[in-house]
Amino acid sequence: MTKRLGMLTRARGAALPVLTIVAAIFVIWYIAAATMNLQWERDQAERAGVEFVLTDALANTMAQERPVLPAPHQVAQEIWKTTVEKKITSKRSLVYHGWITLSATLLGFLFGTILGMALAIGIVYNRAMDMSVMPWVIASQTIPILAIAPMIIVVLNAVGISGLLPKAFISTYLAFFPIVVGMVKGLRSPDALQTDLMRTYNASANQTFWKLRLPASMPYLFTSMKVAIAASLVGAIVGELPTGAVAGLGARLLAGSYYGQTIQIWSALIAAAILAASLVAIVGIIGRIVERRMGFAR
Amino acid sequence: MNWFLITGALAFWIAAWALNVWLANRYPHSRAVRLFVPTLFGVTLLVLWEGIARGADIPTVLLPPPSMIWERLINSLPILRADFVQTFLKSALAGYVMGCGAAFLTALAIDRSPFLQKGLVPVGNFVAALPIIGIAPIMVMWFGFDWHSKAAVVVVMCFFPMLVNTVEGLRASDAMQRDLMRTYAGTYRQNLLKLRLPAAMPFIFNGLKICSTLALIGAIVAEFFGTPTVGMGFRISTEVGRMNIDMVWAEIAVAALAGSMFYGLVSLIERAVTFWHPSMRS
């Protein structure tokens, strides 16, 4: 009870500053939108030969069709229009595009988690693997996979693999790294006292793994999974860029940039942000439930 | 199909693995072995790649063997150098310095206001998890095709991880140490320069290392949205279109090398600056 109360007051303690910052961001956004879009209004007025009236122009900056920086409410309107008011099967629906990106993200995340856990178990239980694979796992992340993404897509397309899988592979590559690092740390987290206890019980290696090491690694695993799922979303979005803008949030970004549809770019961007935030939150909640049921003191 | 090459590569793999296992179990604490084992593993991967790519007659459009990539790399050094200068030295490095610098200064500026810190850290953490790379088309629209727009993307990508790490680092000194500074009648400035900034260094370098890989990625991906006709991202996307996959791989090799060296350089500086930290003393 007291713990819950403590969490509540802490949450309330952070709420006001966070809200202030968010409000400040919106204010800055509006001011920036007004100043950046003003030039266009000035040009329009000059071209039309009308006298330039600042107040009217300022009002107009909030409602341009292709603004340099769309105002927040324009983006919100666009999101509302493309999610709620469109059928989700429509090619113009953000839900449709979001789902395509989401499915690639989830598949890649799943592959990445399985691969990462398998590698971590190998690294923890095999010294040769620890010494030879671990440095390359770290080195692998300095290779900008996002830069290779277009090639992977095009090459796999040439072999006849297209659609979901190539994007999922890119997500996998980004997602497996945090999982490996976190899992290795987690599987090694039981201290000498605990492993000694298992030894006094005459536990087999198998039993030590299932009853001590794996449970002990769970908090580490979920922390890594939060990083991994955000990374796999980035992978899926970038994976969509070179496919020639067919479908998905990345395709919306690319199409928007080709046709100068800034509102469309921003709405895809915000949709991606919402998706990322909810995915991370969901993993976090699952993690908290699992940890509570396992009896980790919180 | 050339079975001789494939079996040769596989045999090399098995032999190298056996040698690695033997070495790792025999001399687990030797420095040379610690260096040799991963190197041999890397060489094995290259040999396997070469053997299978050549042995199984995989079309070079799909997967060129490493020897072919090397040849291409050696023969097109001027192009690669121009791309490297454009993408790495101009876009990535400029963006990295500006982004990390701005984040560091912001962290110092809000250092005296716990209110702002409480608000900015959760927001920063949130933004750091977002797919920021998506702002690339917007930045290209705002700052034009040249390296400025790429640097802008890198600035935004680096800013938040760096900010969160620096703020966290500035809190890292413990109460006992701060009390000591107080008994010395240390001013805010002295406190910052002599205690809190040095104590923050491990966190700051963590941020710098994260950003070092982000910077290159940001610069390359931003080039997909429009560039002058030079740059690593530009080269990769056009050469893929022309099916010159060996050139793409050569570019990737350069990127990987540049990324690793950049990361390694930051780690070396970290080692020199935070020599006192427990993780450096082992």
Side-chain angles (χ1 to χ4, degrees), chain A residues 15 24 34 48 62 74 82 142 156 166 168 192 196 201 206 220 228 234-235 274-275 297:
Chain A
M62 295 292 126
Q74 280 179 300
T82 48
T142 61
L156 285 182
D196 279 353
Y201 287 161
N206 226 335
Y220 294 86
V234 175
I274 293 170
L275 201 58

Side-chain angles (χ1 to χ4, degrees), chain B:
Chain B
M1 275 293 178
N2 187 338
W3 286 108
F4 177 70
L5 274 176
I6 297 181
T7 42
L10 287 176
F12 182 83
W13 179 35
I14 293 166
W17 184 249
L19 179 64
N20 264 353
V21 169
W22 182 76
L23 277 175
N25 289 321
R26 187 74 204 280
Y27 310 101
H29 301 296
S30 146
R31 247 209 140 129
V33 166
R34 275 186 180 279
L35 224 69
F36 179 77
V37 167
T39 315
L40 185 61
F41 182 75
V43 171
T44 315
L45 287 184
L46 283 183
V47 169
L48 257 185
W49 180 355
E50 180 86 33
I52 289 175
R54 283 200 187 276
D57 290 328
I58 296 175
T60 48
V61 226
L62 293 187
L63 190 69
S67 56
M68 194 174 153
I69 297 166
W70 176 249
E71 206 171 303
R72 178 50 86 103
L73 198 146
I74 292 299
N75 287 331
S76 42
L77 277 180
I79 298 178
L80 290 173
R81 183 176 306 129
D83 290 345
F84 175 78
V85 168
Q86 169 76 15
T87 305
F88 190 80
L89 295 185
K90 285 188 188 159
S91 325
L93 214 55
Y96 179 78
V97 171
M98 284 191 277
C100 292
F104 181 73
L105 293 179
T106 311
L108 281 188
I110 63 169
D111 181 46
R112 287 199 192 206
S113 160
F115 183 80
L116 278 181
Q117 282 180 11
K118 253 191 222 158
L120 264 177
V121 169
V123 172
N125 263 324
F126 171 74
V127 176
L130 298 182
I132 297 189
I133 199 87
I135 63 159
I138 297 164
M139 291 299 155
V140 171
M141 234 174 248
W142 285 0
F143 296 104
F145 279 0
D146 208 356
W147 62 271
H148 307 90
S149 58
K150 282 84 207 170
V153 175
V154 176
V155 167
V156 180
M157 279 180 87
C158 288
F159 185 81
F160 289 99
M162 186 66 192
L163 177 72
V164 171
N165 271 296
T166 311
V167 169
E168 205 122 293
L170 286 174
R171 287 192 202 141
S173 60
D174 62 23
M176 193 96 100
Q177 296 164 333
R178 279 190 305 251
D179 280 352
L180 181 66
M181 289 305 278
R182 205 190 186 103
T183 59
Y184 289 161
T187 59
Y188 172 79
R189 224 185 127 81
Q190 286 170 328
N191 234 325
L192 193 67
L193 288 179
K194 302 219 149 90
L195 168 64
R196 295 178 55 225
L197 270 181
M201 279 304 156
F203 292 84
I204 291 174
F205 272 99
N206 187 29
L208 285 176
K209 282 203 273 192
I210 295 172
C211 292
S212 72
T213 51
L214 285 180
L216 195 55
I217 291 175
I220 292 177
V221 173
E223 287 181 358
F224 294 165
F225 290 95
T227 49
T229 55
V230 66
M232 289 169 150
F234 164 79
R235 196 74 56 205
I236 289 172
S237 52
T238 49
E239 297 296 328
V240 162
R242 293 162 62 188
M243 283 296 169
N244 284 336
I245 301 298
D246 51 344
M247 185 65 195
V248 178
W249 277 102
E251 199 76 59
I252 290 165
V254 173
L257 198 66
S260 314
M261 300 238 302
F262 191 21
Y263 188 92
L265 190 70
V266 177
S267 309
L268 273 183
I269 300 174
E270 178 187 24
R271 200 164 269 271
V273 174
T274 64
F275 57 89
W276 47 270
H277 195 258
S279 66
M280 291 293 153
R281 285 186 303 204
S282 55

Side-chain angles (χ1 to χ4, degrees), chain A residues 136-192:
Chain A
W136 288 100
V137 168
I138 294 170
S140 77
Q141 296 302 306
T142 61
I143 301 173
I145 179 73
L146 290 180
I148 316 175
M151 191 183 62
I152 294 176
I153 304 272
V154 172
V155 165
L156 285 182
N157 212 10
V159 205
I161 306 172
S162 62
L164 203 58
L165 270 179
K167 285 190 273 172
F169 283 148
I170 295 163
S171 296
T172 305
Y173 188 91
L174 289 181
F176 94 98
F177 175 68
I179 302 272
V180 172
V181 174
M183 246 339 234
V184 166
K185 215 178 228 179
L187 288 174
R188 285 189 177 146
S189 66
D191 57 22

